[in-house]
Each structure stands twice: as structure tokens, then as C-alpha cells.
Amino acid sequence: MYQTTIKKAVELVGIGLHKGTPVRLRLEPLESNSGIVFYRSDVDVAIALTPENVVDTKMATVIGKDGIVISTIEHMLSAVYAYGLDNLKVIVDADEIPVMDGSSASFCMLLDEAGIKELDKPKRIMRIKKEIIVQEGEKYVKLSPSPDLKYDFTIKFAHPVINKQEYVLEFTKESYKNEIARARTFGFLHEVQYLRSKGLALGGTLENAIVLDDKKILNPEGLRFPDEFVRHKILDAIGDMSLIGMNFIGNYEAMAGSHDLNHKLTVELLKNPENYEIIELVGEKTAELEKAYA
């Protein structure tokens, strides 16, 4: 199994969640061993996708370099990771990735348009060898050894529409597209009002997020899945975990996980080489992975 990139450059224009202004996103192919590289075309700054370059995790995953940032990268990265892409240049002309409809469905469509191209070097993958957990009170995120890739997420909100939800994704590219990609981000009306008072979430609408008041959902079309909230948390987690730099094999488990806990988990994982092994997928070892990303 070989490393991949996209067959051709593709682009779209969407609204940035926080500033509410149009953002042009362009994806371009890269050669083997290039990794995922972000580039701000408006200020001519490249930012490598590494945990060291994460500068904020309060409301989204934000990477930065020398004071230049790119925010809300996780929805797009979730799709990139699910498609098994190893090498990609991500170009934006502003400080955030467009929010689109609040899910990763638009990014999946963009990658389908671009197509996937095999390169000349073997694909590298990380196998989790030891259990790693990051915990804060009742909240935790955990990686553990497993022969396959699974995401098991539980959330609890004191809201009548959400309450407690759990979802387990047995990962393949198809299961991701069918079960996770369309799940939208969500927020509460009082939070949106507060953020707007601070000059944030100016692009947030019922077109790109599920919004709830104290008792109900305000979106007239309702939910795409009865448990759309926890499915979106898995979408976020997949995007956040892509910062380890490659696809991995193991189980991810979370109770009320967050961007911040996911970032701390990637840092903890990479801190000790005994936590993992990196293998090149050649010969028979690739069979299961090829099924996952077919």
C-alpha cells in the first residue's frame, strides 16, 4: 500500500465561522513524505500540521506560526484523514477554514472531485502499543492497542434534547461517509449570543450549525440523525487525531472529550516512542487497511 495525494487541485469558497467573511480554500497535490501542509496565501506563511504548532483549542483546533494562525481545521482534516490522504497542501486566504454546513460532507465531496492518487513510497501507519489516557475530572480521552480502528464516544449534557449519548464507529472510509460526515457542529443560543458580543461566531447561522435554546432545537429541519451530537464529536476527534501525522491503528475512547483533551492526547502519545510503532505497509500487512480506505 502506497502513500497518497489528490489527483488534481480543487477549491471552494465558503464563509468563515468567526469573522463571517468569505474564505477561499484550495487543495493541491504534494509528493511522498511531504505530509499535510497549510499555507496562508494572504500573508505567505506555511504551517506544518504538527501538535507543536497547535496554539489554541478552546472552541476549535487552531494552528499557528509566528503569530499567523489558521482556525477551525478539524472538520476538513476529519475528511482528509478518513480518505487516508498522506500528502496535501491546504491553501486559505484568511485565518480560518470555511465552515460550510458545519459538517465534513462538503469536504468529502471536494475530495471525491479531486480523486485519490497513489505515490511511489510505502504508506506509513502508527500502531498504538500502550494505553494512553488524559483525564480531567470525569472527562477523559484514551488510546489503547487494537487490531483495527474504532472510535467510542460518550457525551452528557443537561439538555432535554441531548442528555447522554454514545456512539461507536468501526472505522472504514464508507462507514465514515455514511455515519459521521454529515453530522453538524452544535451550540447553545446563549453561547452564540456571548460569542457575538466578543466579535466571534459572526458567520454562525442555522445553515451551518445546530442551535439549541434551553428546551429545543431551533433549526426548522431538525436533526440529520437522532444522535447527531455525539456523531459530530467523533467527526471532531478524527480531525484532531490527524495531528499525529499519519493514520493509526488502535481504539480511541472518550467521555466528554474536547479539542483540548484530544490535543493533550496527541502530545502524550508522541512524547514516548514506546507508546507506538511506525510500520510501512507492504505486502500482506496492507489487506485490512486497503479495505478501510477503499
Side-chain angles (χ1 to χ4, degrees), residues 145-181:
S146 171
D148 52 17
L149 176 56
K150 190 179 293 181
Y151 284 84
D152 183 344
F153 211 114
T154 302
I155 58 172
K156 286 196 292 187
F157 284 87
H159 190 284
V161 178
I162 305 177
N163 296 309
K164 182 178 180 179
Q165 297 183 1
E166 180 181 11
Y167 199 83
V168 179
L169 175 73
E170 295 185 6
F171 178 86
T172 66
K173 179 181 171 183
E174 281 307 307
S175 68
Y176 175 86
K177 290 173 71 173
N178 294 332
E179 301 173 37
I180 301 299

Side-chain angles (χ1 to χ4, degrees), residues 39-95:
Y39 177 70
R40 281 275 303 271
S41 60
D42 56 323
V43 289
D44 191 25
V45 170
I47 308 172
L49 185 67
T50 67
E52 293 77 22
N53 285 337
V54 173
V55 295
D56 192 6
T57 52
K58 285 193 288 292
M59 292 182 297
T61 296
V62 184
I63 56 173
K65 178 182 174 184
D66 301 329
I68 303 300
V69 302
I70 302 176
S71 178
T72 323
I73 62 175
E74 62 274 5
H75 297 171
M76 185 208 67
L77 283 177
S78 186
V80 167
Y81 185 97
Y83 276 61
L85 286 163
D86 303 290
N87 308 285
L88 189 67
K89 188 172 186 180
V90 180
I91 304 169
V92 286
D93 61 358
D95 62 359

Side-chain angles (χ1 to χ4, degrees), residues 220-232:
E221 76 279 10
L223 296 175
R224 295 175 176 177
F225 307 96
D227 52 2
E228 188 168 357
F229 307 98
V230 71
R231 292 184 193 227
H232 182 79

Side-chain angles (χ1 to χ4, degrees), residues 123-151:
K123 187 177 182 74
R124 298 161 74 236
I125 197 159
M126 182 180 289
R127 188 188 301 279
I128 306 302
K129 291 177 65 178
K130 293 186 175 181
E131 183 176 291
I132 306 110
I133 185 166
V134 176
Q135 189 157 5
E136 293 178 359
E138 292 184 351
K139 301 177 179 181
Y140 70 84
V141 289
K142 180 170 74 173
L143 288 171
S144 53
S146 171
D148 52 17
L149 176 56
K150 190 179 293 181
Y151 284 84

